[in-house]
Amino acid sequence: MRAIEITEFGGPEVLKLAELPDPVPGPGQLLIEVDRAGINYADTHQAENSYLSASTLPMVPGGEVVGRTPDGRRVVALTGGGGYAERALAVEAMAWDVPDAVDDATALGLVVQGATAWLLLRRSAPLAPGESVVVHAAAGGVGTLAVQLARAWGAGRVIATASSQDKRDLALELGADIAIDANSPDLKDALIEANGGRRVDIVLEMTGGSVTDQSLKALAPFGRLAFYGMASRKPPSPVQPGSLMAHSTTVAGMWLPHVFRLPGDVMGTALTELFDMVAEGGLRVVPGGEYGLSEVRQAHEDLRARRTSGKLVLDPSR
């Protein structure tokens, strides 16, 4: 089969098209004929081995696919790797049937990014009706969905940040009340001003560095910041527990794989609700572009340069 293989760590240049043996399913695994694979920012970290879980070589990247099983089921699945290929394996418990009303790109947009947005607002920083929500990187895969969910679930004010006017316009179209420049020189004051002069209740943050630092300073008493990525590759300043107590604020971290350690089928619950919202017209995945296997380096370059919006997908047939 055709696949993308990484044999050394680095940037987009290490992504190489290769002919590899077809994967063979073991007990409890499904073989999936891949129609589309998802491309996520986390993949760029895995390629350079800077992700939360260590990568091993050689490696076929790609953690999510949508396609058909040998018995004809159409599923979206988390693979843990191997998704940038014509065929991939997934543990049966990590595959979910896709309703007819949900297309391939939408299913891929929901299984990681949609579930992440769902968990951020349901568990990490639970949203109460009327609270203000800041969504950083609001034109990205998680951000576009978080803006819509915050609006649907009763946020009093949704404040988006993005790096360009086109991206800010997209956030407004999706339901944000106001969209501000992510590169504002004094982000703390800009966030408070965007909230009508009041400190903010919830911040969903995946940039790191000064964006995290300034966002923490903008939190209201009992405000919550949920940290789920570090796209800038710059760590924020260390958080002192005493400062959290002084301002009654909470900082939460969230990594999607931990959802499978929770009791019950939390992931299944999230996807069912998200699929239903899509079918009813209350939620949409913003298409961010489709790349062939031979174009995957360009996809990673575009991601790292922040030239993309919405959900990026990979077509293994070309």
Side-chain angles (χ1 to χ4, degrees):
M1 67 174 185
R2 297 167 70 244
I4 295 299
E5 186 178 39
I6 295 174
T7 57
E8 60 180 324
F9 293 123
E13 73 282 353
V14 304
L15 302 165
K16 297 179 180 179
L17 186 60
E19 288 285 342
L20 299 176
D22 286 352
V24 178
Q29 288 186 314
L30 296 174
L31 176 65
I32 300 172
E33 193 78 23
V34 179
D35 291 324
R36 297 290 186 277
I39 304 172
N40 291 309
Y41 202 89
D43 300 345
T44 70
H45 283 286
Q46 287 185 322
E48 64 183 17
N49 201 23
S50 62
Y51 195 49
L52 284 174
S53 58
S55 302
T56 57
L57 298 175
M59 171 181 67
V60 175
E64 60 190 33
V65 299
V66 63
R68 299 276 178 179
T69 62
D71 60 0
R73 288 173 60 199
R74 178 168 170 255
V75 299
V76 64
L78 297 177
T79 61
Y84 288 13
E86 293 180 314
R87 283 168 283 282
L89 298 178
V91 176
E92 291 183 14
M94 299 286 185
W96 298 269
D97 292 306
V98 180
D100 291 340
V102 178
D103 63 36
D104 286 351
T106 297
L108 287 170
L110 296 179
V111 73
V112 169
Q113 292 160 330
T116 295
W118 190 96
L119 284 160
L120 288 169
L121 290 170
R122 288 288 199 218
R123 296 189 71 104
S124 299
L127 169 63
E131 289 189 314
S132 56
V133 179
V134 174
V135 180
H136 287 303
V142 175
T144 53
L145 292 160
V147 165
Q148 295 175 74
L149 291 179
R151 171 58 61 224
W153 293 343
R157 192 164 183 80
V158 180
I159 302 163
T161 78
S163 58
S164 71
Q165 189 58 54
D166 286 347
K167 291 182 177 184
R168 293 191 286 275
D169 289 343
L170 173 60
L172 294 170
E173 177 191 339
L174 294 172
D177 294 288
I178 187 169
I180 65 175
D181 188 347
N183 299 311
S184 297
D186 194 331
L187 186 58
K188 172 197 148 187
D189 289 346
L191 293 175
I192 293 172
E193 181 181 352
N195 197 37
R198 300 179 303 278
R199 291 176 175 270
V200 299
D201 298 306
I202 293 173
V203 176
L204 307 184
E205 158 55 353
M206 52 77 68
T207 307
S210 65
V211 173
T212 307
D213 298 341
Q214 292 294 308
S215 297
L216 272 172
K217 294 176 182 178
L219 285 177
F222 295 99
R224 289 90 72 202
L225 184 146
F227 190 74
Y228 67 100
M230 197 160 58
S232 71
R233 290 169 164 79
K234 296 178 182 177
S237 301
V239 176
Q240 301 299 325
S243 68
L244 298 179
M245 183 176 65
H247 300 285
S248 295
T249 51
T250 298
V251 176
M254 204 284 286
W255 189 37
L256 184 63
H258 290 146
V259 71
F260 299 104
R261 300 185 186 181
L262 297 173
D265 185 12
V266 177
M267 186 70 172
T269 298
L271 286 177
T272 296
E273 183 172 3
L274 294 170
F275 286 153
D276 288 346
M277 290 179 73
V278 167
E280 294 164 2
L283 182 69
R284 69 182 177 98
V285 171
V286 175
E290 184 172 286
Y291 300 78
L293 279 180
S294 60
E295 303 166 317
V296 71
R297 290 185 183 180
Q298 186 65 53
H300 278 226
E301 289 171 2
D302 291 345
L303 264 177
R304 293 182 64 145
R306 298 189 181 184
R307 290 192 289 261
T308 66
S309 299
K311 182 60 187 176
L312 306 186
V313 298
L314 189 67
D315 179 356
S317 70
R318 60 184 180 89

